[in-house]
Amino acid sequence: MDVQEKTYCRVRDLGLIAYERAQDDQKRHVDDVLAGGPQTILLCEHPAVITLGRLSDERHILFSQKYLEERGVPVHCVDRGGDVTLHAPGQLVVYPILRLAERGKDLHAYLRGLEQVAIDLLARFDIVADRFSGKTGVWIGPQKVASIGIGVRRWVSYHGLAINVNTELGLFDLIKPCGLAVSMTSVARHKKGNIDMGRVKQEFVDCFNRRFCFDV
Amino acid sequence: MFKIVAPELGEGIEKATVACWHKSVGERVSSEDDIAELVTDKATFNVPAGVSGTVKKICVAPGREIRIGDTLAVVEKSHD
């Protein structure tokens, strides 16, 4: 992803924010980037929520609507690729809003770029992570640590990736993540203790800027 | 008449599925309007009309798979 001139990427940390509110913020930023505003990444965490991508199979939600309501886990259908996923506090969610027209108009190259940012980030925590042949996302050994699903409008990206940092992994028992028979893991599980999310965000932004050729 | 075709989405992407249509037959579109949403395994992609005019034909039903370069819709160009 070579870009001729380095440019600044705006970073907005939304903190812990309801899923719907973050989507409104994301749409506003997409409109701003389409109007010529600076490319942006939104960082956040969501209260527990299940989201279904465009080609999701609802059978990949393993419990009834009533049970999920009792657990306080709403379900949203969203305009991203990918199957079912879950967000919860302790998971770093990143919505990069980038002009992919400046990066070769290649969705696969962009997805591989996002994976590489997560791999670079985990390396900074001395964790060896990798891709899994034929599947999108990032794995630590046989367990998945980061999920990716994007949307693109006039070659501006939205949605993005979710990295389990300190996520309560038991919540993933509610779904079949991405429709795969896969077990999920987190950075905290591998480091045997919770990780400072502030540091994770800082390292993420640095890895992201380097990978996507923004000023660091 | 102007044919809207499924655009190149990147290396190795030969097919996509029509997720939904944002416009219907008879509706007016401007060139920057999104007319359809395509979906691959991990991405949705909104296809811009690319021309201003009136939608005359929608060639692919939602849920159907298309190949890159296939005609998705036909728009009659406006002259204003």
Side-chain angles (χ1 to χ4, degrees), chain B residues 12-29:
Chain B
I13 304 178
E14 294 169 358
K15 292 183 285 190
T17 300
V18 174
C20 61
W21 285 95
H22 298 306
K23 301 289 177 183
S24 333
V25 171
E27 205 170 339
R28 285 190 56 79
V29 290

Side-chain angles (χ1 to χ4, degrees), chain A residues 128-143:
Chain A
V128 178
D130 207 349
R131 299 182 179 86
F132 198 103
S133 181
K135 294 183 171 63
T136 299
V138 175
W139 272 256
I140 301 173
Q143 297 180 305

Side-chain angles (χ1 to χ4, degrees), chain A residues 58-64 68 172-177:
Chain A
E58 289 188 18
R59 290 172 299 182
H60 295 157
I61 299 176
L62 304 178
F63 290 84
S64 68
L68 293 173
F172 284 101
D173 294 340
L174 298 171
I175 62 169
K176 190 174 181 184

Side-chain angles (χ1 to χ4, degrees), chain A residues 54 79 82 107 150-152 158, chain B residues 9 11 37 41-44 46:
Chain A
R54 276 288 189 248
D79 59 344
L107 300 183
I150 63 165
V152 176
Y158 50 95
Chain B
L9 299 177
E11 199 176 325
E37 184 185 282
D41 57 343
K42 287 289 179 179
T44 59
N46 286 285

Side-chain angles (χ1 to χ4, degrees), chain A residues 103-170:
Chain A
R103 298 170 186 279
K105 292 185 174 179
D106 189 328
L107 300 183
H108 276 180
Y110 176 57
L111 291 168
R112 300 294 84 79
L114 291 180
E115 288 170 345
Q116 193 58 49
V117 173
I119 292 167
D120 295 345
L121 171 72
L122 292 164
R124 293 192 179 189
F125 290 87
D126 302 314
I127 294 173
V128 178
D130 207 349
R131 299 182 179 86
F132 198 103
S133 181
K135 294 183 171 63
T136 299
V138 175
W139 272 256
I140 301 173
Q143 297 180 305
K144 195 174 186 186
V145 68
S147 302
I148 297 176
I150 63 165
V152 176
R153 187 174 152 223
R154 285 161 54 195
W155 286 109
V156 169
S157 65
Y158 50 95
H159 293 296
L161 74 165
I163 304 169
N164 292 318
V165 179
N166 303 315
T167 323
E168 182 193 332
L169 294 172

Side-chain angles (χ1 to χ4, degrees), chain B:
Chain B
M1 292 291 179
F2 180 87
K3 287 181 179 175
I4 297 171
V5 300
E8 295 280 348
L9 299 177
E11 199 176 325
I13 304 178
E14 294 169 358
K15 292 183 285 190
T17 300
V18 174
C20 61
W21 285 95
H22 298 306
K23 301 289 177 183
S24 333
V25 171
E27 205 170 339
R28 285 190 56 79
V29 290
S30 67
S31 61
E32 293 200 333
D33 285 345
D34 295 326
I35 188 163
E37 184 185 282
L38 303 181
V39 59
T40 69
D41 57 343
K42 287 289 179 179
T44 59
F45 185 89
N46 286 285
V47 180
V51 67
S52 296
T54 304
V55 180
K56 284 294 174 190
K57 187 178 178 186
I58 283 176
C59 306
V60 189
R64 293 288 298 273
E65 194 172 82
I66 51 93
R67 297 187 74 81
I68 301 308
D70 282 355
T71 300
L72 300 175
V74 177
V75 171
E76 186 176 45
K77 284 198 217 177
S78 59
H79 298 288
D80 45 52

